[in-house]
Amino acid sequence: MTHPIHDQVRAALEACGATAPEGTDLHARTPITGEQLMGLRATTAEELEGVLVSAEQAFTAWRDTPAPVRGALVKRWGELLAEHKDDLAVLVTAEAGKIPSEAAGEVQEMIDICELAVGLSRQLFGRTMPSERPGHRMMETWHPLGVVGVITAFNFPVAPYAWNTAVALVCGNSIVWKPSEATLLCALATDALLARAARDVGAPEGLHHVLVADRTLGEKLVDDTRVALVSATGSTRMGAEVGPRVAARFGRSLLELGGNNAAIVAPSADLDLALRGVAFAAVGTAGQRCTTMRRLIIHEDVAEEFVERLVQAYGTLTIGDPSTGESLVGPLVHEGAHTAYAEALEAARAQGGELLCGGERVLADEFPDAYYVQPAIVRMPEQTEIVRTETFAPILYVMTYRELDEAIALHNDVPQGLSSAIFTTDVREAERFVSDAGSDCGIANVNIGTSGAEIGGAFGGEKHTGGGRESGSDAWRAYMRRATNTVNYSDELPLAQGVEFL
């Protein structure tokens, strides 16, 4: 008997006005059951060439459109996203395996970033600087880059695309999107709504494109000199390939890569609050967020009590089909993710770890082609090699500390630097954690978990996380080029630094 998600997917695509190019090159699949949803025809290399030509042509018209007028497109897109929030959430659940509230939350991020970008369209500010020469004015201006290539991952199939696209569009760029092969239907629906918005406001044709493609075509996008900026979200391994290739052609890259996120639980922490924060951050999206909490560094005075309570909380988690709305933990994305989960737990045991709970595959009889697992907590004697390695699965490694400086050093001693947190009611501890001598991550939170960033702040991390910033604050600058202008409004021509010539 066919799972209801099949009919829900087709209805959602139709509601969004999306047409899936049917074929046999690629296959849309749902991790809920492991079944194929439909076959898709892949974009060809010849079609990519046409896409890039079209995007370049659209850019030349779009860059001359006043920024507040460009904002009208994003405003309309946001309205359509809100209108079809439930449809898109169905697709996110179907292809990424998220529970309904998390899927709806991701779509809400798209709506929120559209609202932010509309305001931004009237705030692309430059500076005016004093000149040392009389009768001169200095200023900086910001200009669109050109074609922006966006590469996204399966775990957040639509929100990071919107972070990039809403902002890049108001900055005057055109977009070519290479989504994850695992979430192509989400991409087609999202792009269809943007196409409708573009028609509604009279935006240039060819302003945005989506590629139904595998890695091969993605590499062509990365290597093409017509793509001014490549914004790539994914693994550190992927970023290590993309960054140098873009740099070799003197292009720009914006990298949002892996995270090995940790929380410190201090002896003064509100343990009830910390329990909720840790549980969601460690288990949400079945541990498949880049901001998932993977390490818990807890003061030895409260470790026994807190970990016992956390193990009990894990025992209440409902694991199962996320589309029913009755589960808190959905499936891993595919068999490879389950293999990584099992191998990481085996390595943790070999490196002295003690499995406190979880660690097993479940529901295999009901869903033999899907991969549901029990979230695991592992007590580690120290920060071993496997702890320093990001595994995209619900595994939380627990370690203890005595002094805060020791905890911060342990926290920072991993290659990744995305998100971090401390739970404490001691203002000195809180301030130290967010100070220069504290967390070395791009996100440092106090009394909230590592997941769930708001769009108003710049999102991104340091070290092997790539250094990119998306979403709010001044992240818009990544999508523009800066020019310094000097205007001489006098009838003299003094040279800077007192140089005399002729």
Side-chain angles (χ1 to χ4, degrees), residues 143-386:
H143 307 278
L145 284 176
V147 179
V148 172
V150 180
I151 299 172
T152 55
F154 81 89
N155 60 323
F156 274 81
V158 290
Y161 170 69
W163 297 347
N164 283 276
T165 299
V167 174
L169 284 173
V170 300
C171 289
N173 304 291
S174 56
I175 309 294
V176 179
W177 182 16
K178 195 286 180 190
S180 167
E181 295 170 54
T183 52
L184 292 169
L185 301 183
C186 291
L188 290 168
T190 300
D191 184 71
L193 293 176
L194 181 54
R196 178 176 164 189
R199 291 192 299 270
D200 288 350
V201 302
E205 291 186 9
L207 194 57
H208 62 97
H209 302 266
V210 61
L211 306 177
V212 178
D214 60 13
R215 174 188 173 121
T216 302
L217 214 62
E219 290 177 346
K220 291 183 180 296
L221 183 69
V222 166
D223 291 337
D224 200 293
T225 57
R226 290 168 292 187
V227 180
L229 170 69
V230 175
S231 178
T233 303
S235 67
T236 297
R237 177 198 55 76
M238 179 271 286
E241 296 180 19
V242 169
R245 291 175 74 151
V246 176
R249 62 174 178 82
F250 293 95
R252 295 191 189 186
S253 60
L254 192 166
L255 301 176
E256 293 290 354
L257 310 175
N260 193 349
N261 316 292
I264 296 171
V265 178
S268 68
D270 178 334
L271 296 185
D272 291 335
L273 184 150
L275 184 68
R276 296 194 301 274
V278 169
F280 172 69
V283 174
T285 320
Q288 297 172 115
R289 291 186 175 215
C290 54
T291 54
T292 291
M293 189 183 299
R294 310 202 180 280
R295 298 176 296 138
L296 180 64
I297 303 167
I298 184 166
H299 194 276
E300 58 189 36
D301 287 353
V302 295
E304 184 175 350
E305 175 191 352
F306 186 82
V307 173
E308 181 180 346
R309 291 180 61 186
L310 188 62
V311 168
Q312 291 174 351
Y314 269 46
T316 68
L317 296 172
T318 49
I319 304 168
D321 181 346
S323 68
T324 65
E326 298 176 356
S327 301
L328 290 176
V329 183
L332 296 178
V333 66
H334 49 46
E335 183 180 7
H338 174 257
T339 299
Y341 166 82
E343 289 178 349
L345 289 175
E346 182 179 351
R349 291 189 188 97
Q351 293 169 25
E354 178 190 358
L355 182 65
L356 302 181
C357 68
E360 298 295 330
R361 182 182 176 189
V362 296
L363 304 179
D365 291 339
E366 183 177 356
F367 301 112
D369 297 318
Y371 295 89
Y372 294 83
V373 299
Q374 297 170 332
I377 300 175
V378 185
R379 184 73 174 261
M380 298 298 295
E382 58 184 343
Q383 191 150 271
T384 64
E385 180 182 356
I386 190 60

